[in-house]
Amino acid sequence: EAGVAQSPRYKIIEKRQSVAFWCNPISGHATLYWYQQILGQGPKLLIQFQNNGVVDDSQLPKDRFSAERLKGVDSTLKIQPAKLEDSAVYLCASSLLQGGGTDTQYFGPGTRLTVL
Amino acid sequence: KNQVEQSPQSLIILEGKNCTLQCNYTVSPFSNLRWYKQDTGRGPVSLTIMTFSENTKSNGRYTATLDADTKQSSLHITASQLSDSASYICVVTSGGYNKLIFGAGTRLAVHP
């Protein structure tokens, strides 16, 4: 079974530039998550999709971050414009069910973003 | 405020030794508690999941315990191997929409 795919793996940009990350979840998984993980910290949920609808985006900085999940499958996360404090690893995860219980999240390898 | 706190922040042990990592949480409503292993440069991988009624769960050399009364969990690693070097993250799930609250993790280094 293929895992969660993310690209690119690494990205270096200057502040005020724009950047986009792509995620392809495990086939058939209804729920998709984007996390931000700053060095030395645990992941922080940015946005959670259930199929192509947003379940939770309470911690997404909506003035600069946006995300969409096309046709309930792939997803893109965009930052425009980037700030120095956005330097982090952006993790995508997916799960089979629609929340609750002991549903396991499967994580992708992440995209390491460096903002100079 | 929902929080998950882990200790120690980092730990160094010798290969073959045992160790125990701690997790305290203040999360409500509680759904389940998970331990993840995160290798450097990789995404987290689930080790164990425990619900309210479970107080121990094993996965090979990893054994997790849960005390729902004191809101504490531990992860015990037996006969450590070099490949156990990683960050171990405690995650508590709250509510009906699988909202995960992550701890900061314990960084474990196993030396030969």
Side-chain angles (χ1 to χ4, degrees):
Chain A
E1 176 185 78
V4 176
Q6 291 187 247
S7 67
R9 290 297 312 276
Y10 305 93
K11 189 73 175 180
I12 301 174
I13 62 173
E14 295 186 348
K15 61 183 179 183
R16 292 187 290 273
Q17 286 187 322
S18 302
V19 65
F21 312 128
W22 174 82
C23 173
N24 182 228
I26 293 173
S27 177
H29 279 197
T31 309
L32 185 147
Y33 313 79
W34 282 103
Y35 291 91
Q36 179 193 61
Q37 186 174 25
I38 293 172
L39 186 64
Q41 299 181 17
K44 181 184 84 170
L45 178 69
L46 292 175
I47 189 167
Q48 176 181 342
F49 291 96
Q50 182 174 300
N51 296 309
N52 59 356
V54 176
V55 172
D56 184 353
D57 64 355
S58 57
Q59 297 191 91
L60 185 74
K62 298 180 183 65
D63 58 334
R64 298 185 300 107
F65 287 65
S66 64
E68 61 179 1
R69 188 175 185 194
L70 306 172
K71 299 180 181 178
V73 182
D74 292 6
S75 178
T76 56
L77 176 69
K78 297 179 181 178
I79 308 175
Q80 180 178 10
K83 293 184 176 181
L84 296 177
E85 58 261 36
D86 297 332
S87 294
V89 174
Y90 290 84
L91 294 165
C92 179
S94 70
S95 62
L96 179 63
L97 302 174
Q98 295 180 352
T102 56
D103 190 20
T104 295
Q105 289 192 1
Y106 296 87
F107 285 82
T111 295
R112 181 177 296 277
L113 174 67
T114 301
V115 182
L116 302 176
Chain B
K1 181 180 178 183
N2 288 331
Q3 282 188 314
V4 176
E5 296 185 349
Q6 294 187 242
S7 62
Q9 274 191 329
S10 61
L11 182 63
I12 300 173
I13 62 173
L14 294 177
E15 186 179 13
K17 298 297 185 182
N18 303 334
C19 68
T20 300
L21 314 180
Q22 301 291 342
C23 173
N24 296 334
Y25 62 92
T26 54
V27 176
S28 181
F30 174 89
S31 179
N32 56 68
L33 185 145
R34 309 158 187 247
W35 282 93
Y36 281 85
K37 178 186 179 187
Q38 185 173 24
D39 292 314
T40 301
R42 309 285 290 271
V45 174
S46 180
L47 293 176
T48 62
I49 301 176
M50 289 182 291
T51 60
F52 185 87
S53 59
E54 297 174 295
N55 56 23
T56 187
K57 183 74 70 79
S58 291
N59 178 358
R61 296 180 295 103
Y62 301 102
T63 300
T65 65
L66 174 64
D67 186 333
D69 291 331
T70 62
K71 298 186 178 181
Q72 296 179 325
S73 176
S74 66
L75 180 69
H76 186 74
I77 304 175
T78 304
S80 61
Q81 300 176 358
L82 298 179
S83 59
D84 292 331
S85 295
S87 287
Y88 291 84
I89 305 174
C90 176
V91 185
V92 179
T93 304
S94 177
Y97 274 104
N98 216 21
K99 185 177 180 70
L100 273 63
I101 298 145
F102 287 76
T106 292
R107 183 175 294 276
L108 175 66
V110 181
H111 289 184

